[in-house]
Amino acid sequence: MDVTMAVHKAAARTLRIGMTTTELVDFLDRGHRKFGLSLTFGAAQFGEATAYPHGVPYPQTLAEGDMVLVDTGTKVGGYHSDITRTYVFGEPTERQREIWDLEKRAQLAGFAAAMLGAPCEAVDQAARGVIEAAGFGPGYKVPGLPHRTGHGLGLAIHEEPFMVKGSRTPLAPGMCFSVEPMMCIYGEFGVRLEDIAYMAEDGARWFTQPAYSVDDPFGYEA
């Protein structure tokens, strides 16, 4: 997780007008290799393409004011990292700030609901509740959150337990999972903030600190 976060920070510093998503993914690969690791996956989306959870089948070119979404990870000892950051290249608009802040509130609500013994679906319900309270959705409708809030992470990128409606598996020490309630607004942009949490003996903890703000996505809260 620490290596992938370092690569994320470096990638953000390389952005320039005219850069393509293909170039950015190549940088993610080189960045992980500098630490002696290999890129297990890397995805970059710019502008309106950020609204689609699984990307689009064509590269994009970076322009001033674009939303930027980067999702990447590596593997150590068979175990995966998986972190997504979304931010704006340039000065965010009020709309971009509003949706980014909503995404962060939803992510933190999901994390707060990750209590020992609680069903996995509680994480999804809490995050989705924040989004619905802001007038999006409801449920899996867009604009809003069209997919599960999180997935288990370990020897596979996506494994049990899943943070999704109907998942009654109780959260227990040792479980690792993502919290990533993506905001998707087709025709505009999307925002996904993904960090991995794990259940310790005294409750949920983050492997990596969540993004701080749309202006300083890699800063840490005091």
Side-chain angles (χ1 to χ4, degrees):
M1 299 295 180
D2 290 342
V3 167
T4 293
M5 183 58 74
V7 173
H8 260 292
K9 292 178 180 179
R13 293 193 295 268
T14 71
L15 295 178
R16 66 185 188 283
I17 292 175
M19 186 178 197
T20 67
T21 48
T22 302
E23 290 176 305
L24 185 51
V25 171
D26 286 344
F27 179 89
L28 299 176
D29 183 29
R30 295 195 306 274
H32 281 94
R33 290 183 186 281
K34 283 187 176 180
F35 287 94
L37 301 173
S38 61
L39 183 75
T40 53
F41 68 95
Q45 296 155 238
F46 298 154
E48 194 267 343
T50 61
Y52 302 93
H54 304 293
V56 294
Y58 54 84
Q60 306 102 56
T61 301
L62 189 62
E64 184 73 19
D66 273 352
M67 192 68 80
V68 176
L69 188 154
V70 180
D71 183 1
T72 189
T74 187
K75 190 163 58 174
V76 175
Y79 290 90
H80 291 268
S81 62
D82 186 5
I83 302 171
T84 304
R85 285 291 179 267
T86 308
Y87 41 89
V88 177
F89 181 68
E91 180 66 24
T93 65
E94 286 305 309
R95 174 70 163 171
Q96 289 170 329
R97 290 182 185 279
E98 172 193 350
I99 300 304
W100 195 98
D101 289 344
L102 173 60
E103 166 72 4
K104 180 179 177 180
R105 293 199 305 273
Q107 186 195 34
L108 295 183
F111 178 77
M115 295 183 286
L116 290 168
C120 289
E121 69 176 358
V123 176
D124 183 87
Q125 289 170 341
R128 199 173 301 275
V130 170
I131 290 170
E132 291 181 351
F136 295 93
Y140 294 85
K141 293 181 179 179
V142 291
L145 169 56
H147 58 71
R148 64 195 175 203
T149 291
H151 58 83
L153 182 76
L155 293 173
I157 285 287
H158 300 107
E159 62 182 34
E160 294 282 357
F162 294 107
M163 309 298 119
V164 67
K165 181 179 179 180
S167 179
R168 302 293 300 170
T169 302
L171 291 164
M175 289 182 174
C176 300
F177 53 91
S178 69
V179 185
E180 48 175 318
M182 183 176 181
M183 275 296 302
C184 300
I185 306 177
Y186 300 153
E188 290 189 55
F189 58 85
V191 181
R192 181 166 71 241
L193 301 175
E194 177 188 20
D195 293 278
I196 306 302
Y198 66 96
M199 301 305 295
E201 295 293 338
D202 57 353
R205 296 183 184 179
W206 292 114
F207 278 107
T208 49
Q209 290 296 313
Y212 180 48
S213 72
V214 69
D215 297 297
D216 184 17
F218 300 104
Y220 291 165
E221 295 190 32

